[in-house]
Amino acid sequence: MSREIDRRAARTRKALHQALLTLMLRKGYEALSVQDIIDEADIGRSTFYAHYTGKEDLLRSGFQMLREELKEAQSAMRARAGASHNDPLGFSTAMFEHAARYADHYRTMIGGRGGAVTENEIRLILSEMVRQELSSTLREDTMPRDFVVQFIVGAFLTALNWWFERKPGLLPSEVDAMFRSLVLDGLSPLIGDEHRSADHPAASRDAD
């Protein structure tokens, strides 16, 4: 009996999350009400509040599910590719693959319709993943760890937006290759050493 209740609860939560994503894509997170969500999911108000305290609670619980899915996808990607755990961008391939499978959801979350809460949650998830990847690879005497984490997360979200908006026909592996190349190698291969060091005291000191 308890197993049937668990399955029913899981179906209810899934229906509510799907309704939330659908409505966010249609009208944006900030404009939504709990009534909108339960109408879309065809679920009673008391049932909604048996699971969640409000729409923000529903949204945050969805990100916990996303976090777990991404960890599983990351582990599976490493196993298939035989990838090293010392890869500083080991999260990126799994993330781009996951985004390709759930493109509409990602467009909603990072395309301006998801609101500030959504963007913040996405950044937190990515920051956790990047921080974990960097734990064994980043030299502590180079740059502040938090700066490096936020730089990588910002670059990833920019790449994701660009992919969805400008080049949706590219394969996840192609976008991942460009992202990894630019983050790991920087602009030096594209602009030449003379431009990299010009008018940049820190770069000049490093070259001495």
Side-chain angles (χ1 to χ4, degrees):
M1 183 67 178
S2 62
R3 190 174 300 174
E4 177 58 34
I5 293 173
D6 289 343
R7 282 200 293 263
R8 192 182 310 136
R11 286 196 298 269
T12 298
R13 288 192 291 267
K14 183 176 180 180
L16 287 168
H17 283 293
Q18 185 58 54
L20 176 65
L21 288 168
T22 298
L23 289 169
M24 282 168 58
L25 187 61
R26 189 182 305 160
K27 56 195 295 188
Y29 174 77
E30 304 299 340
L32 294 181
S33 66
V34 169
Q35 190 63 50
D36 292 329
I37 296 167
I38 62 178
D39 287 346
E40 180 73 21
D42 194 22
I43 287 172
R45 180 173 285 269
S46 60
T47 301
F48 176 91
Y49 284 110
H51 293 276
Y52 304 106
T53 60
K55 70 173 187 176
E56 186 168 322
D57 188 29
L58 171 62
L59 180 66
R60 291 189 188 281
S61 71
F63 281 108
Q64 182 55 40
M65 293 165 55
L66 175 62
R67 183 180 282 106
E68 292 168 3
E69 283 186 18
L70 288 172
K71 286 181 179 177
E72 290 177 6
Q74 188 177 19
S75 297
M77 189 69 65
R78 276 177 171 159
R80 288 201 304 271
S84 167
H85 284 259
N86 292 325
D87 181 354
L89 299 180
F91 77 99
S92 68
T93 302
M95 280 293 299
F96 281 119
E97 292 281 358
H98 192 274
R101 287 196 299 273
Y102 300 99
D104 287 343
H105 293 179
Y106 274 88
R107 285 191 183 95
T108 302
M109 291 188 291
I110 66 172
R113 304 295 287 172
V117 174
T118 299
E119 181 178 346
N120 186 57
E121 290 293 327
I122 284 285
R123 285 184 176 275
L124 285 174
I125 292 173
L126 288 174
S127 295
E128 287 175 16
M129 297 176 74
V130 173
R131 202 170 282 113
Q132 181 181 5
E133 300 289 357
L134 290 177
S135 62
S136 61
T137 58
L138 184 66
R139 288 170 46 195
E140 296 290 347
D141 60 344
T142 52
M143 291 186 185
R145 180 180 297 271
D146 190 58
F147 172 78
V148 177
V149 170
Q150 294 308 313
F151 172 81
I152 293 173
V153 169
F156 181 87
L157 290 173
T158 297
L160 203 57
N161 262 320
W162 174 84
W163 180 27
F164 287 152
E165 293 177 4
R166 303 289 184 88
K167 296 289 184 179
L170 289 177
L171 296 174
S173 58
E174 293 175 312
V175 184
D176 185 43
M178 289 190 291
F179 167 74
R180 294 173 67 85
S181 176
L182 198 54
V183 171
L184 292 174
D185 299 334
L187 294 175
S188 296
L190 304 178
I191 62 177
D193 289 341
E194 68 277 10
H195 297 289
R196 181 171 64 91
S197 59
D199 300 321
H200 197 304
S204 299
R205 285 197 302 270
D206 291 343
D208 292 340

